[in-house]
Amino acid sequence: HMTRPLKVIAAAAKEFAAGNFDVRVPEDNHCYEIDELAVSFNNMARDLDQLEELTRGFISNVSHEFKTPMTTIGGFVDGTILPDQHDKYLRIIAEETRRLSRMVNRMLDAAKIQSGELILNPAPFDFSEMTSQIILSFEQKIEKKHLEVECDLDDRLMVMGDRDHLYRAVYNLVDNAVKFINEGGRLGLRAHPGNGFFWLDGL
């Protein structure tokens, strides 16, 4: 009667060591010491399971974030660019390259990200300029789907925030819009200040 729950915990430990992070053990064994051991084991199992899930999510997010600027750069490098537009597209490629470099540096803070701490570097920047740049980076996809683009942006909409995080958020919104709008449809963005905040929505 005393050794049976210990054998269950030992078997669960072997399962856990083999990579089965879903295994749990009964906590009601009619013995205080064994119940305490079982509770400690289950707490450890839950913590490690959460850590494993955070690690998988981190790897998935990093892969997605790297794909975004690399797709933009590859699209312009592989495409045909008119000579009088070289400077414009080189500026976009340079910005995407710098963004990749910043992302690599932030990967050094992986432990903080995995623990749920969001790393923010707020600074003033022109949101309208950033949004226009994002729209421009989708030019090839927009032309391919024959989308009508309409932007209602202030000439200079200065905001205080983390440019990389906001860039990623707006980029993903535009990416989804371009992806799911029917061919020949309309893509619209509107941003305006109000009450100390700014608002971004679709037209």
Side-chain angles (χ1 to χ4, degrees):
H1 178 75
M2 295 293 294
T3 59
R4 187 180 299 112
L6 293 176
K7 290 180 180 179
V8 171
I9 294 175
K14 291 180 180 179
E15 284 284 320
F16 206 82
N20 181 11
F21 299 124
D22 295 327
V23 65
R24 300 292 184 272
V25 297
E27 297 179 1
D28 185 12
N29 300 284
H30 306 292
C31 175
Y32 175 80
E33 290 79 6
I34 295 178
D35 288 348
E36 190 175 25
L37 175 62
V39 169
S40 297
F41 178 88
N42 287 339
N43 288 337
M44 176 201 68
R46 279 190 290 269
D47 290 343
L48 291 176
D49 192 21
Q50 290 175 0
L51 180 60
E52 176 68 15
E53 185 177 350
L54 284 172
T55 301
R56 289 194 299 267
F58 174 72
I59 293 173
S60 176
N61 288 335
V62 167
S63 301
H64 177 73
E65 296 304 328
F66 269 89
K67 184 179 179 180
T68 296
M70 291 175 68
T71 299
T72 300
I73 294 171
F76 288 135
V77 171
D78 295 337
T80 301
I81 301 176
L82 298 175
D84 60 344
Q85 294 183 326
H86 279 180
D87 290 343
K88 179 178 70 174
Y89 289 110
L90 283 175
R91 282 195 298 271
I92 296 174
I93 291 173
E95 173 61 27
E96 293 294 306
T97 302
R98 286 192 292 269
R99 193 155 70 94
L100 273 173
S101 178
R102 291 193 296 269
M103 289 166 62
V104 170
N105 290 332
R106 290 192 176 188
M107 284 186 63
L108 299 177
D109 296 321
K112 292 182 179 180
I113 296 174
Q114 287 182 338
S115 65
E117 181 181 345
L118 184 63
I119 302 170
L120 296 174
N121 294 303
F125 69 95
D126 188 345
F127 185 84
S128 295
E129 183 273 334
M130 183 197 75
T131 304
S132 299
Q133 184 182 88
I134 290 173
I135 294 294
L136 188 60
S137 70
F138 281 91
E139 185 177 44
Q140 291 180 339
K141 293 182 179 179
I142 289 171
E143 290 181 351
K144 186 177 180 180
K145 293 190 69 173
H146 306 290
L147 300 180
E148 177 188 351
V149 178
E150 183 177 346
C151 290
D152 181 11
L153 305 171
D154 286 5
D155 289 338
R156 280 179 61 82
L157 181 55
M158 300 302 298
V159 300
M160 174 66 74
D162 188 304
R163 191 180 189 279
D164 284 343
H165 285 291
L166 286 170
Y167 188 105
R168 181 165 64 249
V170 177
Y171 188 102
N172 288 339
L173 288 172
V174 175
D175 186 31
N176 287 332
V178 172
K179 187 181 301 181
F180 295 110
I181 291 176
N182 293 331
E183 186 169 348
R186 184 166 70 101
L187 170 66
L189 280 173
R190 176 175 56 196
H192 56 88
N195 298 325
F197 297 90
F198 79 91
W199 304 92
L200 173 69
D201 55 62
L203 292 172

